[in-house]
């Protein structure tokens, strides 16, 4: 339980993000199951949240100095990194200073503006389609 210290969120939108992140993290940004889950959730408007989620994950990977751990899709618990990222997604629009501090801790760097903008774009894309991440 120390490797997976957090329970999955109750919010279905956060669970969708978690599933897609885990799939893309394990199988690449073009993972078909991740894309299919976004299609099922968003219908014809799936492209914007999917592309922005892919961009966010690429930004995270290219800017981190720390290891961002992800669990397999079947896990009913989350790593500390996954929990932090969901918290950042939930707070980036309402509490940006808190989100920035959490992002700096997650990435291990103070240069987080570009990545934080990617996270804000994903949060906005979900919220615009009536699926806010909470």
């Amino acid at each position: 339980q120390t490797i997976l210290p957090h329970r999955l969120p109750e919010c279905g939108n956060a669970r969708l993000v978690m599933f897609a992140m885990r799939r893309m993290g394990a199988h690449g940004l073009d993972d078909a199951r991740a894309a299919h889950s976004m299609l099922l959730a968003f219908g014809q408007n799936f492209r914007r949240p999917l592309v922005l989620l892919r961009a966010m994950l690429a930004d995270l990977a290219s800017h981190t100095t720390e290891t961002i751990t992800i669990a397999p899709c079947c896990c009913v618990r989350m790593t500390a990194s996954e929990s932090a990222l969901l918290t950042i997604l939930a707070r980036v629009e309402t509490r940006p200073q808190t989100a920035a501090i959490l992002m700096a801790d997650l990435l291990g760097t103070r240069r987080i503006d570009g990545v934080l903008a990617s996270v804000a774009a994903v949060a906005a894309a979900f919220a615009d389609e009536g699926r806010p991440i909470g």
Side-chain angles (χ1 to χ4, degrees):
Q1 217 170 4
T2 56
I3 295 172
L4 300 169
H6 304 279
R7 291 181 16 209
L8 282 178
E10 297 292 323
C11 173
N13 302 328
R15 284 178 180 247
L16 172 63
V17 169
M18 183 59 51
F19 175 78
M21 285 191 317
R22 285 177 171 179
R23 288 294 307 185
M24 287 188 250
H27 303 285
L29 296 178
D30 291 328
D31 181 70
R33 287 188 181 169
H36 186 253
S37 68
M38 299 291 275
L39 173 65
L40 291 176
F42 291 99
Q44 67 183 8
N45 298 327
F46 79 100
R47 284 180 191 85
R48 178 177 171 230
L50 176 62
V51 169
L52 290 172
L53 186 58
R54 286 174 175 162
M56 181 193 82
L57 293 174
D59 280 348
L60 285 167
S62 64
H63 288 90
T64 188
T65 62
E66 302 291 326
T67 300
I68 298 175
T69 55
I70 58 169
C73 290
C74 61
C75 288
V76 294
R77 300 188 63 83
M78 294 186 295
T79 67
S81 298
E82 291 172 329
S83 178
L85 193 49
L86 284 182
T87 302
I88 294 164
L89 278 161
R91 294 183 182 169
V92 70
E93 292 188 3
T94 58
R95 298 189 347 212
Q97 291 176 331
T98 303
I101 291 168
L102 289 171
M103 182 63 76
D105 288 346
L106 179 66
L107 298 180
T109 183
R110 292 183 181 186
R111 297 181 142 181
I112 54 137
D113 292 339
V115 181
L116 203 56
S118 292
V119 172
V122 170
F126 271 68
D128 290 348
E129 294 299 326
R131 294 186 158 278
I133 301 166

